[in-house]
Amino acid sequence: SDLYFVLYADSMNHDELTKKINLQPTKVIHKGDPLGHQKGPPAKLSSWEFATMVVESDLLDICDLSASLVAKFQPKTDSIVE
């Protein structure tokens, strides 16, 4: 299981965003790239994704995971909005 935060935009400079918020994405997609595999439909938007590294266990506290993700991004909201 993963918990992730994704930003979507019609036009996005992934490298600039990564530098601004000082977090490495786990996945980026450029508008027009094939989705899923080479023959997939083209992406309608660009995206920048940051996923948590969840350890598989019988008990998963989604509230703690969500709070951790929010804590990473909340101080960066001004940089993201720019």
Side-chain angles (χ1 to χ4, degrees):
S1 297
D2 288 331
L3 182 65
Y4 57 93
F5 174 82
V6 182
L7 293 170
Y8 294 99
D10 190 53
S11 176
M12 180 185 301
N13 184 324
H14 297 95
D15 292 333
E16 184 178 318
L17 176 61
T18 300
K19 287 178 188 174
K20 276 186 175 182
I21 64 174
N22 198 30
L23 286 173
Q24 288 292 2
T26 51
K27 182 178 179 181
V28 297
I29 295 175
H30 297 86
K31 183 177 179 179
D33 284 354
L35 294 174
H37 51 78
Q38 293 299 332
K39 296 189 192 298
K44 293 181 181 180
L45 297 171
S46 291
S47 64
W48 184 101
E49 179 178 311
F50 181 86
T52 61
M53 301 300 170
V54 177
V55 176
E56 295 295 325
S57 68
D58 292 336
L59 183 60
L60 183 66
D61 189 337
I62 194 71
C63 291
D64 285 346
L65 285 174
S66 299
S68 171
L69 195 59
V70 168
K72 284 187 186 304
F73 285 94
Q74 193 167 23
K76 302 168 188 303
T77 53
D78 289 341
S79 296
I80 292 170
V81 172
E82 290 177 359

